Amino acid sequence: MILLWLTAMVPQSKPPPCDLMTQTCSSPTSAQMTLLFFSFVLISLGAGGVRPCSLAFGADQLDRRDNPKNVRVLESFFGWYYASAAISVLIALTGIVYIQDQFGYRVGFGVPAILMLLSALVFFLASRFYLKQQASKSLLTGFFQVIIVAYKNRNLTFPLPNSTASYHHKRDSNVVAPTDKLRFLNKACIIKNPEQDIALDGSAANPWSLCTVEQVEELKALIKVLPLWSTGIIMSINLSQNSFPVLQASSMDRHLTKKFQIPAGSYGMFNIISLALWVIFYDRAILPMASKIKGKPVRIGVKLRMGIGLFLTCIAMVVSAIVENARRKEALRSGFQNNPTAVVKMSAMWLVPQFCLNGFAEAFTAIGQTEFFYSELPKSMSSIAAALFGLGLAVANVLASVVVSIIDDITSKGGKESWVSSNINKGRIDNYYWVLAILSFINLFYY
């Protein structure tokens, strides 16, 4: 953030202002572009460390698996974590953007840089109060070791049942033999020759020739949750649809009053607001009320919540298609086929329901998936559990571009107007939404 701030503060770090008289602008130099991109790289690396690990780190402070109310505590924590994240995005896209518009980028980039500095200071000042789980090994290295050793030992025969001494495990470990699921991986922890394979301290003499039962089970746990993880990708593709709603909103009446209209790019706020409001309402009203009525603690199962979210994102895409179909018909009726920027006599508030449905879907599925991963994976994999949903978002953003490209190639053949044309009145974005709706229903059935 400091480097990004410097690109606004130091005149030599950016091109000179454009000449208004001749209307010519100087291009940035390679050094100036390098500084800018390097700041983006550092921000991305920092976010990649903070986002998944802060969630896992926070859960570590509260996770007491011997507590009968532990599941409810974690559910509440994950919900409030996502609500606070949504509110922070809301502040960023309103307050910080307002500061940038009113006071320029010197102040606009300086404020978040200072906030980030204060955040880091508070984090370290409170360090002595934290419960800290020490990392003992690289999990990713361990996964590769299991796969490679299992392949090396593919011709080994399995030991007899209940022959626990044939498997390598940590000292004082409760897990002395691997499970029967994905049995081919069990060959990674079979001891071939105890004298050669085991060191004097009981560890493997060569980790690339012999793995522990714990390593094998950690990889199995990750593989086990991947099918459910993959079901969140389609929902994330739906959530990544940002450009088309902006084009729709730009061509619709965005006035709330005669003098005030909502910016076209701000309708995504309804997604964030609905997510935050649902988390608060669910945690502070619905569950306490249901528990009071039934006379015992009530909670919606994590898998049911994930399913509800996937269903809601299906409905969101159906609503999106219906609204766009109505908007396009109104545009054609008004003679705006060749004028995509013309404003039709239809309120942009018709776009709000699809954003709210997607916000509710994210609240159910994103929080549910994170809680599911955290509960299913071993304690040593808590940061991976927290990172899985973010990884799904990243994959979804790439796939969303692929889906748009495929639909553009198919529908523009023969000189036809593409469904995803920049002229939304000539294109058929409603049909594109129907494709996403069908994919979402298939995904729900797959789930």
Side-chain angles (χ1 to χ4, degrees):
M1 286 304 305
I2 291 172
L3 285 180
L4 185 61
W5 188 15
L6 289 176
T7 63
M9 293 295 291
V10 180
Q12 292 80 7
S13 66
K14 59 185 176 182
C18 296
D19 189 330
L20 298 179
M21 296 294 293
T22 61
Q23 293 187 344
T24 57
C25 300
S26 301
S27 299
T29 64
S30 298
Q32 290 167 344
M33 291 299 291
T34 300
L35 178 64
L36 179 65
F37 285 132
F38 189 57
S39 70
F40 291 157
V41 169
L42 288 177
I43 289 170
S44 299
L45 290 174
V50 171
R51 289 176 185 173
C53 294
S54 63
L55 180 59
F57 187 73
D60 284 344
Q61 312 307 306
L62 303 170
D63 191 10
R64 303 289 182 273
R65 302 203 174 185
D66 56 339
N67 181 359
K69 295 183 179 179
N70 190 54
V71 174
R72 176 71 190 101
V73 170
L74 286 177
E75 178 186 352
S76 181
F77 168 73
F78 289 132
W80 283 99
Y81 180 92
Y82 273 95
S84 65
I87 292 169
S88 71
V89 172
L90 195 62
I91 293 171
L93 296 179
T94 52
I96 301 297
V97 170
Y98 176 81
I99 291 172
Q100 290 172 347
D101 285 343
Q102 294 296 314
F103 304 103
Y105 286 104
R106 289 189 173 192
V107 178
F109 285 158
V111 170
I114 292 168
L115 290 175
M116 196 67 235
L117 179 63
L118 291 173
S119 175
L121 284 174
V122 171
F123 177 78
F124 286 111
L125 286 174
S127 179
R128 64 191 182 91
F129 299 110
Y130 301 143
L131 174 68
K132 300 167 187 172
Q133 300 285 348
Q134 296 297 324
S136 58
K137 61 182 185 306
S138 168
L139 284 171
L140 292 178
T141 302
F143 294 156
F144 283 118
Q145 286 172 344
V146 171
I147 294 169
I148 290 171
V149 177
Y151 179 77
K152 284 181 179 178
N153 297 345
R154 63 189 181 278
N155 295 323
L156 284 181
T157 56
F158 286 106
L160 295 172
N162 301 322
S163 179
T164 57
S166 300
Y167 295 106
H168 176 51
H169 57 82
K170 292 179 181 177
R171 287 182 177 179
D172 303 322
S173 174
N174 295 324
V175 183
V176 295
T179 59
D180 287 334
K181 292 182 178 179
L182 300 171
R183 288 183 73 231
F184 64 94
L185 293 176
N186 293 354
K187 293 187 176 183
C189 57
I190 296 176
I191 301 171
K192 301 187 289 289
N193 187 331
E195 294 181 358
Q196 293 181 359
D197 295 343
I198 308 296
L200 294 175
D201 61 355
S203 63
N206 182 0
W208 294 95
S209 295
L210 179 64
C211 300
T212 62
V213 173
E214 290 82 4
Q215 282 179 278
V216 172
E217 292 305 308
E218 284 170 349
L219 179 57
K220 286 183 180 181
L222 181 62
I223 294 172
K224 184 173 67 173
V225 301
L226 287 180
L228 276 178
W229 168 80
S230 66
T231 62
I233 292 176
I234 292 294
M235 186 199 75
S236 297
I237 289 176
N238 296 344
L239 292 174
S240 70
Q241 304 303 315
N242 298 317
S243 55
F244 295 128
V246 171
L247 291 174
Q248 291 173 270
S250 299
S251 69
M252 300 170 79
D253 182 8
R254 294 177 278 114
H255 284 89
L256 286 183
T257 65
K258 286 185 178 180
K259 293 184 178 180
F260 177 75
Q261 64 177 359
I262 302 175
S266 296
Y267 279 84
M269 291 294 96
F270 290 104
N271 186 323
I272 298 167
I273 291 169
S274 59
L275 187 156
L277 288 179
W278 171 254
V279 169
I280 296 168
F281 186 64
Y282 173 77
D283 192 72
R284 292 298 171 193
I286 293 178
L287 289 186
M289 189 183 299
S291 300
K292 191 174 182 180
I293 292 171
K294 296 203 73 173
K296 61 179 182 179
V298 172
R299 64 182 297 269
I300 302 176
V302 64
K303 292 178 184 176
L304 177 59
R305 276 185 279 140
M306 290 160 63
I308 291 172
L310 295 179
F311 174 74
L312 288 175
T313 195
C314 297
I315 302 303
M317 286 299 101
V318 171
V319 171
S320 300
I322 293 171
V323 170
E324 169 55 18
N325 184 264
R327 187 213 61 80
R328 184 174 180 273
K329 282 184 177 179
E330 182 62 32
L332 296 179
R333 194 180 297 118
S334 302
F336 297 148
Q337 182 175 2
N338 297 314
N339 188 3
T341 59
V343 178
V344 300
K345 293 180 180 178
M346 181 177 178
S347 174
M349 295 304 288
W350 282 104
L351 298 173
V352 172
Q354 67 197 51
F355 283 113
C356 290
L357 284 168
N358 273 325
F360 294 145
E362 188 174 2
F364 276 103
T365 299
I367 298 169
Q369 273 202 349
T370 302
E371 187 182 337
F372 174 76
F373 298 147
Y374 192 86
S375 61
E376 286 292 318
L377 297 180
K379 184 78 173 175
S380 59
M381 299 174 66
S382 56
S383 60
I384 288 181
L388 278 174
F389 183 76
L391 179 63
L393 280 175
V395 173
N397 275 281
V398 175
L399 289 180
S401 299
V402 173
V403 170
V404 170
S405 297
I406 292 173
I407 289 178
D408 182 50
D409 290 341
I410 293 174
T411 58
S412 61
K413 284 182 178 178
K416 296 179 181 178
E417 191 73 33
S418 170
W419 284 1
V420 289
S421 169
S422 57
N423 184 338
I424 59 173
N425 295 336
K426 281 187 173 182
R428 294 303 303 265
I429 298 176
D430 53 337
N431 288 348
Y432 169 66
Y433 285 144
W434 279 118
V435 171
L436 292 182
I438 292 168
L439 290 175
S440 298
F441 276 107
I442 293 171
N443 183 59
L444 180 63
F445 180 76
Y446 164 60
Y447 173 78

